[in-house]
Amino acid sequence: MIRKLAIAVVVLLILGLLVAAAAARWAWTAIHEPWGSAAAEAFVVEPGTSARSILDGLEARGLLRDARLARLWLVHRLGDPPLLAGEYRFDEPLSTPGVLDKLIRGEVVTYPVTLIEGLTLDEAAEALAAAGFGDVEVFRREMERTELIADLDPDATRLEGYLYPDTYHFARGTSEAEVVSTLVRTFRSRFERDVAPLLSGSDLGVRGVVTLASIVEKETQRDDERTLVASVYANRLRIGMGLYADPTIIYAKKLAGTWDGNLRRPDLKLDSPYNTYVVPGLPPGPICSPTVASMVAALRPADSEYLYFVSRNDGTHVFSRTLAEHNRNVYVWQKKYWRDRWAREGRSSGG
């Protein structure tokens, strides 16, 4: 009788071990086997959501095989790290460790926004707000935070010129302060890498370089013309000639809220420190956000004797050394060009 009981106990133990081994094998497979399918919509983790609720939500959506097993793995294998809030997408089936790794690292969905070169501070604020990354007025306030650039430009009164034009990727919910800080960090990184090494021997200083570069940026976006445009302004500064830069007057009118897209002759007498037709030298500060290419051009202008340039109306310019040459170019590329074009359009519309 005792023998039979002992055999039964051994059998039960063996069966228990087999069941436990099978359960362990199932659990291991369940944890490491990719699960779920690509989610068309986002899975959003709100700030403050508990890990248990997050895992239950993932299981309910079919993105996680077993929330309880995931919780055991998270606590006992990974040490119970926090799962980060944000918007997630699962584009392919993932194992439980894969899902948890994504949430632990905060691999959230980001959205692109492009700030083109030559935007003013206000235009950048409007572009960011229009793309859905925050409130325009909050952006404008954040762009007054000169402490972000004070070591490079202690005279800065706003961040004009220091919001680097580029394509950025931000997660939904990123604060306006962090967005602006990212733009400034990008400027600092690009400036310190590509521009600062060229400052030696220049009397422009950081603010002067960015200011002159911002004028160059507004005058041309062609890489083959930046150094030529910069040379015109460098030559004018060298001989004490006014800059006569239309973009600085346009900027002054934007600041005053009076810019309507047209620059008129009376505007050349505008009472503003940014009116480089009246006030000699560089304007008080940058008038837009320039690229590295324009900043390099400001420090390394072409070796030329040019003092003037005029648009060919196709994005390129004609450069000249004397006022007489310039006046002829103005006649050809402005007065005659537009007169002939309007005449052609008139005949076309009449026919």
Side-chain angles (χ1 to χ4, degrees), residues 36-306:
S37 58
E41 68 276 11
F43 182 84
V44 178
V45 176
E46 299 293 345
T49 306
S50 69
R52 187 181 302 277
S53 296
I54 294 170
L55 299 177
D56 287 343
L58 287 165
E59 181 182 351
R61 286 277 297 277
L63 301 170
L64 192 65
R65 184 166 185 171
D66 191 301
R68 290 168 299 176
L69 287 176
R71 178 67 178 159
L72 288 171
W73 188 270
L74 180 70
V75 173
H76 298 291
R77 185 63 180 264
L78 300 180
D80 202 15
L83 304 182
L84 302 182
E87 179 181 346
Y88 294 87
R89 290 189 188 277
F90 297 86
D91 299 322
E92 60 183 358
L94 291 176
S95 66
T96 294
V99 172
L100 293 176
D101 181 62
K102 184 185 273 286
L103 293 163
I104 291 167
R105 290 188 295 108
E107 191 181 311
V108 297
V109 178
T110 60
Y111 295 88
V113 57
T114 298
L115 296 181
I116 62 172
E117 59 273 13
L119 291 183
T120 66
L121 181 151
D122 288 333
E123 290 164 348
E126 291 166 1
L128 290 165
F133 291 103
D135 179 80
V136 65
E137 293 303 326
V138 177
F139 274 124
R140 286 186 176 123
R141 288 198 298 272
E142 291 298 328
M143 291 173 183
E144 305 289 332
R145 292 164 54 206
T146 55
E147 67 272 15
L148 296 176
I149 205 72
D151 58 321
L152 288 180
D153 182 2
D155 295 325
T157 58
R158 300 200 301 170
L159 295 177
E160 190 75 86
Y162 299 108
L163 308 174
Y164 196 76
D166 206 344
T167 295
Y168 295 88
H169 292 80
F170 297 110
R172 296 296 186 199
T174 303
S175 70
E176 291 91 344
E178 178 55 30
V179 170
V180 172
S181 294
T182 299
L183 305 186
V184 176
R185 282 197 301 269
T186 303
F187 170 87
R188 296 178 68 98
S189 174
R190 298 297 303 275
F191 185 89
E192 289 166 7
R193 185 187 71 188
D194 300 322
V195 183
L198 306 178
L199 277 173
S200 178
S202 172
D203 58 1
L204 285 173
V206 173
R207 186 172 182 79
V209 169
V210 178
T211 298
L212 180 54
S214 70
I215 299 174
V216 172
E217 194 70 53
K218 296 301 285 187
E219 294 285 17
T220 184
Q221 278 78 54
R222 292 180 61 95
D223 287 338
D224 60 344
E225 284 195 352
R226 293 180 199 272
T227 58
L228 287 172
V229 171
S231 75
V232 169
Y233 289 121
N235 290 338
R236 290 178 181 178
L237 288 170
R238 177 175 51 80
I239 66 175
M241 179 181 173
L243 291 187
Y244 306 133
D246 291 352
T248 64
I249 302 177
I250 294 171
Y251 182 74
K253 291 181 70 66
K254 285 180 178 180
L255 288 180
T258 59
W259 175 242
D260 62 3
N262 292 302
L263 191 63
R264 301 171 177 86
R265 187 170 295 277
D267 294 329
L268 304 184
K269 298 180 181 179
L270 183 70
D271 182 14
S272 167
Y274 285 93
N275 184 351
T276 54
Y277 277 78
V278 174
V279 181
L282 289 172
I287 62 171
C288 71
S289 292
T291 57
V292 158
S294 289
M295 288 186 275
V296 170
L299 282 167
R300 294 292 186 270
D303 183 11
S304 85
E305 297 178 0
Y306 294 137

Side-chain angles (χ1 to χ4, degrees), residues 305-321:
E305 297 178 0
Y306 294 137
L307 289 173
Y308 306 93
F309 61 94
V310 64
S311 172
R312 287 193 181 98
N313 305 297
D314 63 357
T316 66
H317 297 83
V318 181
F319 295 82
S320 54
R321 296 171 178 81

